Amino acid sequence: MLSRTLFSSPKSRARIPVVFLVRAYSVAADAPVPKKKKVWDSAHEAVKAVKSGDVLLSGGFGLCGTPDTLIGALAERPDVRDLTAISNNAGSGQFGLGKLLHSGQIDKMVSSYIGGNKHFEQLYLQGKISLELVPQGTLAERLRAHAAGIPAFFTPTGASTAVEEGAVPIRYNEGGMSNGVKLPGTKKEYREFNGRRYIMEPAIAGDVAFVRAWKVDEVGNTVFRYTTNNFSSVMAKNAKLTIVEAEHIVPVGSISPNAIHLPGIYVDRIVQATAEKQIETRTVAQGASDGRDAGKPAALDLRHRIARRAAKELRDGYHVNLGIGMPTLVPEHLPHGVKVWLQSENGILGMGPYPTEEKLDADIINAGKETVTLLPGASVFDSSESFAMIRGGHIDVAILGAMQVSQAGDIANFMIPGKLVKGIGGAMDLVSNPDNTKVIVVMEHCAKDGSPKILKQCSLPPTGARAVSQIITELGAFDVDRQKGELTLIDLAEGVTVEEVRAKTGCDFHVRSQLGKL
C-alpha cells in the first residue's frame, strides 16, 4: 500500500490523506481457465456412474429435447434397475424414457402427463409400475426449489383436487385396480393466504440429470435451441451429477456470455449427441399435406363452430393459452383486426401457425407436441418461467377441453380412475388463478354414451375448483357464476331449443332474457 499527503490549498495547508492501493494478487484478464476435464469420450463411459435405485432426471418435452443418446447408453446396462425417473412425460414407444420402460429398468415415474403412451398407461393400471402424477408447473417448481436450496413451497395449483387429497394411487396391486391399492397417494398440507387456498409441495432431489443441448462449451456453458429448454435447465441445476449431450461442443469462449442459458457450474460431464432428433407429432399447414381431418366433415364442422364462438371472447393484444385438441382451432376464427399472443406452456410466447414442409423444425413444438412456428416478436424460455407466467395470472385467457364441468365451474379433464390416465399436464396450473386468467371450456355437450358433461357436481377427479368462467358447446354458451355456483345460458345454437339443452344438461341453469346466437 502506498500513501502520500496532499494539501487543500497553499494557505490552509490542511492535510488530506490520499491512499493509493495496489493489489498484491490481482488477476489478469487473460488468465487461463481451469482445466478440469468435462468432455467425455462416449456416453457409455459418462453414464457408468448411474446405479440401481438412483433418481434420474430426464429433460425433454414429448420427444423434443430428449437426451436419447444418454438414455440409449443406460438402456445397454440392464444391471441398473429400480430407477425413479422424473420427467414431464415418459417418451413414446422406444424413444425417450420409453426405452427404459420397455427394458424394465424404471420402477417409478414422477410425471405430469402420460398422453398416448399406452405401454406406460397399462404398466401403471396393471400395478407393474409406480406413478406419481404431478401438475406440470408444480413439477418444474419442485425441481427448481431443490436446486435453489428450498425444501418446500406453497402453491395454488392442485388445491381442492385429488392432488391435495392424495386420491390418485401411486401404485395398484399386481393385477390392477380390482385388486386394490398398494401405495396410496400422498395427502398435502394446506393453508390459506389472503383468502386463497394453497397446498405445500416438497422439493424433488435428483441423483443424476440427463440433458440434451444445442451447444455447450468445454467448461459446460450451455445453450438450448427454441423449445428444447423446457425442463432441462431446472433438472441440470438440481442433480448431484449432470450429464449434457450436445449437438455441438465448442471451445471455451466461443459462446457469448449473453447467450448462455445454463452456466457451466451446473454441468459435470459432456458427451457428443449422436441420437437423431425425433418428432412426436409431425404437423404441417393444411394444404401442405397431412389431411389429418379428412373423412370427418361433420365432426370437424362441429368443432369449428365451437372454436368460432370461443374466438369471440378474445381481444386484440390478449395473451392466450390454448389447451390441446379443439382449443387449437380457435386462432383460425379470430375476429377481423384481433391479434393475440399465444402462449404454450412448454416455453413459447408468440406461437405461430403450423409450418410448411420446408420450415418444419423438430425444436419448435407446442404443448400438444405438434410442430409449430414462431411469430416475429416471439420469445422462448424454460418451463419454470412459463408456469410463473401462468400461476401469476399474466395470461388473460386459457381455453381448455374437459371431460366434465360443474355448475360452479369445477373442471375435470385428466383421468377416469382405473380406466384412463391422460395425466394432469399443465391444466391444473392454467386454472389455478381464475380471478386473473379467464378459463373457457370448449367441449361437446354430451359424452359418447349420451350422458351430460355439464353437471351439478363432477363425478370425475377435478382438475380445479370453481375455476371455469364460461362453457361453450355445440348447443350453446354458458356464463358461470363461480361465487354463486350458477350457470346462465347466454347463446343458443341455430335449430336448438332451450328444452333440448335442459334435457342434455345435468344441472339447472338460468336463461338470459335476450339469447344470442352461437
Side-chain angles (χ1 to χ4, degrees):
M1 179 176 75
L2 303 177
S3 66
R4 56 185 293 193
T5 301
L6 299 180
F7 300 97
S8 59
S9 71
K11 291 182 179 179
S12 68
R13 311 298 281 180
R15 295 184 178 183
I16 303 174
V18 178
V19 179
F20 297 89
L21 299 178
V22 179
R23 294 183 62 190
Y25 299 102
S26 60
V27 179
D30 59 350
V33 298
K35 295 183 178 180
K36 179 182 178 181
K37 176 181 171 61
K38 289 191 176 182
V39 181
W40 287 58
D41 293 333
S42 72
H44 293 83
E45 290 295 319
V47 303
K48 282 186 175 180
V50 184
K51 60 187 183 300
S52 293
D54 272 352
V55 176
L56 172 64
L57 313 181
S58 184
F61 188 92
L63 298 180
C64 180
T66 52
D68 283 328
T69 305
L70 293 167
I71 292 171
L74 187 58
E76 294 180 17
R77 293 186 57 205
D79 57 302
V80 178
R81 305 186 65 80
D82 298 322
L83 295 169
T84 294
I86 318 288
S87 185
N88 179 63
N89 52 286
S92 178
Q94 289 282 349
F95 296 110
L97 287 177
K99 187 178 289 291
L100 300 183
L101 285 172
H102 281 274
S103 66
Q105 290 170 268
I106 296 175
D107 180 65
K108 179 181 179 181
M109 282 292 312
V110 181
S111 298
S112 85
Y113 197 68
I114 294 177
N117 192 328
K118 293 298 182 183
H119 178 66
F120 179 22
E121 183 181 37
Q122 288 307 307
L123 287 175
Y124 170 65
L125 291 176
Q126 293 169 11
K128 296 180 179 179
I129 194 170
S130 297
L131 167 64
E132 183 181 348
L133 272 179
V134 182
Q136 194 176 138
T138 298
L139 180 60
E141 200 65 13
R142 288 177 67 183
L143 291 163
R144 191 200 66 80
H146 177 74
I150 299 170
F153 58 91
F154 282 91
T155 176
T157 302
S160 302
T161 72
V163 170
E164 178 184 333
E165 297 162 1
V168 180
I170 292 175
R171 191 166 191 148
Y172 291 112
N173 285 318
E174 190 78 20
M177 183 179 180
S178 60
N179 292 332
V181 173
K182 184 175 183 179
L183 294 174
T186 303
K187 192 171 184 177
K188 304 293 172 66
E189 177 185 338
Y190 77 89
R191 291 187 187 177
E192 287 194 1
F193 299 92
N194 299 319
R196 293 184 66 197
R197 192 178 183 95
Y198 293 77
I199 59 174
M200 189 176 77
E201 290 283 4
I204 293 174
D207 294 308
V208 184
F210 285 178
V211 170
R212 181 170 179 127
W214 175 53
K215 186 184 293 185
V216 62
D217 68 19
E218 293 166 323
V219 295
N221 293 313
T222 303
V223 181
F224 300 100
R225 186 171 182 271
Y226 298 126
T227 60
T228 62
N229 195 339
N230 47 70
F231 284 82
S232 296
S233 285
V234 291
M235 288 183 170
K237 295 173 183 178
N238 177 297
K240 297 174 185 175
L241 173 67
T242 292
I243 310 175
V244 173
E245 63 173 78
E247 296 168 39
H248 305 282
I249 302 174
V250 299
V252 177
S254 300
I255 304 173
S256 166
N258 288 321
I260 293 168
H261 297 130
L262 177 70
I265 191 172
Y266 299 110
V267 177
D268 301 294
R269 301 180 181 183
I270 303 164
V271 300
Q272 181 65 50
T274 56
E276 292 186 11
K277 295 178 182 179
Q278 303 296 322
I279 297 176
E280 186 167 348
T281 307
R282 180 184 174 280
T283 317
V284 294
Q286 287 188 345
S289 83
D290 68 349
R292 54 191 174 279
D293 293 314
K296 299 181 179 179
L300 182 61
D301 178 66
L302 179 148
R303 291 159 63 87
H304 274 284
R305 281 191 283 121
I306 297 171
R308 187 178 299 114
R309 174 60 183 83
K312 293 181 179 180
E313 297 299 314
L314 305 183
R315 302 292 178 264
D316 191 52
Y318 269 13
H319 296 91
V320 181
N321 183 287
L322 303 176
I324 61 175
M326 197 186 307
T328 63
L329 301 175
V330 171
E332 298 181 36
H333 303 288
L334 288 173
H336 180 71
V338 173
K339 306 292 182 184
V340 299
W341 293 103
L342 295 179
Q343 197 258 16
S344 186
E345 57 260 38
N346 59 311
I348 299 175
L349 183 62
M351 182 172 64
Y354 297 133
T356 60
E357 189 73 40
E358 295 74 24
K359 293 185 177 180
L360 195 71
D361 192 323
D363 291 340
I364 310 177
I365 66 165
N366 64 15
K369 288 85 174 177
E370 300 172 316
T371 46
V372 292
T373 56
L374 302 177
L375 296 177
S379 57
V380 291
F381 31 83
D382 73 354
S383 295
S384 181
E385 182 73 41
S386 181
F387 283 96
M389 294 179 189
I390 290 168
R391 279 192 312 273
H394 304 287
I395 304 301
D396 296 297
V397 177
I399 303 178
L400 304 173
M403 298 176 187
Q404 293 177 346
V405 183
S406 80
Q407 66 181 33
D410 301 340
I411 175 175
N413 69 351
F414 77 95
M415 73 178 298
I416 300 173
K419 295 181 180 180
L420 174 67
V421 188
K422 293 178 63 177
I424 298 169
M428 280 193 182
D429 298 277
L430 286 163
V431 303
S432 68
N433 196 343
D435 289 339
N436 290 302
T437 299
K438 181 178 181 179
V439 178
I440 301 173
V441 165
V442 292
M443 64 180 187
E444 294 184 30
H445 205 92
C446 296
K448 291 181 180 179
D449 63 1
S451 61
K453 296 169 70 173
I454 302 175
L455 304 165
K456 187 173 183 178
Q457 290 183 325
C458 293
S459 60
L460 297 175
T463 304
R466 295 183 182 266
V468 178
S469 293
Q470 196 166 60
I471 307 167
I472 301 172
T473 77
E474 77 279 13
L475 301 184
F478 297 84
D479 278 344
V480 183
D481 187 324
R482 296 183 289 109
Q483 279 67 45
K484 294 181 178 179
E486 297 177 348
L487 294 179
T488 299
L489 181 67
I490 60 170
D491 286 354
L492 195 62
E494 186 176 354
V496 176
T497 64
V498 173
E499 289 69 28
E500 180 183 353
V501 177
R502 289 197 187 280
K504 295 181 177 180
T505 303
C507 62
D508 196 11
F509 56 84
H510 303 290
V511 179
R512 192 167 68 178
S513 57
Q514 296 294 324
L515 277 174
K517 290 185 178 180
L518 190 67

